[in-house]
Amino acid sequence: MLIETLKSLFTRDLNKLKLEIESYQDESKIWAIDKNISNSAGNLCLHLIGNINTYIGAQLGKTGYIRNRPLEFSLKDIPKSELIHKIEQTIAMVNTVFDSLTEADLEAIYPEIVFEKEMTTGYFLVHLSTHLAYHLGQINYHRRFI
């Protein structure tokens, strides 16, 4: 049951991420920052894509994805269409990986130490879902503020 719940939440929120990026009328605003906002929506989007492709794709799905976290925050002016394509690829990957997981996989220790201690895969996936929701809220605020 938790697998289907997580799959549903990731799919829902990644689709909301896609909608947020699509909703920027002026594409340049995706990359805007100001004195009170240090991360643009574009960089937060890249960060979420990198995070999910690393911890779900590479670790659990063995996709071969290699993360370059510094670029998630330094790249600029990637076309909106490319961001949307990356989100769509991430949605497809998440669904493929979750379709392959079992309840036993969720109870197993996550294959990488992330927070300096072992945790179950299920626990870490719940964390990743809340991380996605947190940054999704920031992007929504950014879009409305900028």
Side-chain angles (χ1 to χ4, degrees):
M1 172 155 153
L2 181 57
I3 293 170
E4 286 304 314
T5 299
L6 287 166
K7 180 181 174 184
S8 174
L9 291 171
F10 275 98
T11 300
R12 178 197 71 186
D13 287 350
L14 285 166
N15 276 307
K16 284 185 180 178
L17 174 61
K18 180 180 166 186
L19 179 62
E20 286 294 335
I21 297 300
E22 288 172 335
S23 295
Y24 280 84
Q25 299 297 316
D26 179 349
E27 193 165 334
S28 69
K29 299 282 188 186
I30 294 171
W31 302 97
I33 57 172
D34 85 353
K35 63 182 180 210
N36 296 315
I37 299 176
S38 57
N39 289 317
S40 70
N43 289 118
L44 289 171
C45 179
L46 291 173
H47 171 61
L48 288 168
I49 290 166
N51 182 274
I52 293 167
N53 275 284
T54 297
Y55 294 121
I56 296 176
Q59 283 293 343
L60 300 178
K62 306 297 183 217
T63 61
Y65 180 85
I66 298 172
R67 186 177 194 182
N68 187 336
R69 193 173 189 280
L71 285 181
E72 295 168 13
F73 295 98
S74 64
L75 288 175
K76 305 290 181 214
D77 301 321
I78 294 171
K80 182 191 323 190
S81 61
E82 187 175 333
L83 291 175
I84 291 166
H85 181 69
K86 288 177 182 291
I87 295 166
E88 290 169 343
Q89 289 177 314
T90 303
I91 292 168
M93 176 277 300
V94 163
N95 285 315
T96 298
V97 171
F98 277 103
D99 286 344
S100 73
L101 292 178
T102 66
E103 292 297 323
D105 292 328
L106 296 184
E107 294 170 15
I109 298 300
Y110 186 75
E112 179 182 343
I113 300 293
V114 181
F115 301 124
E116 301 178 9
K117 64 179 182 167
E118 288 185 344
M119 67 191 106
T120 66
T121 297
Y123 177 91
F124 189 54
L125 289 172
V126 169
H127 164 78
L128 290 176
S129 177
T130 62
H131 176 261
L132 169 57
Y134 175 77
H135 287 311
L136 180 59
Q138 289 179 314
I139 291 168
N140 174 268
Y141 181 78
H142 177 276
R143 182 180 56 77
R144 291 180 293 113
F145 183 75
I146 297 291

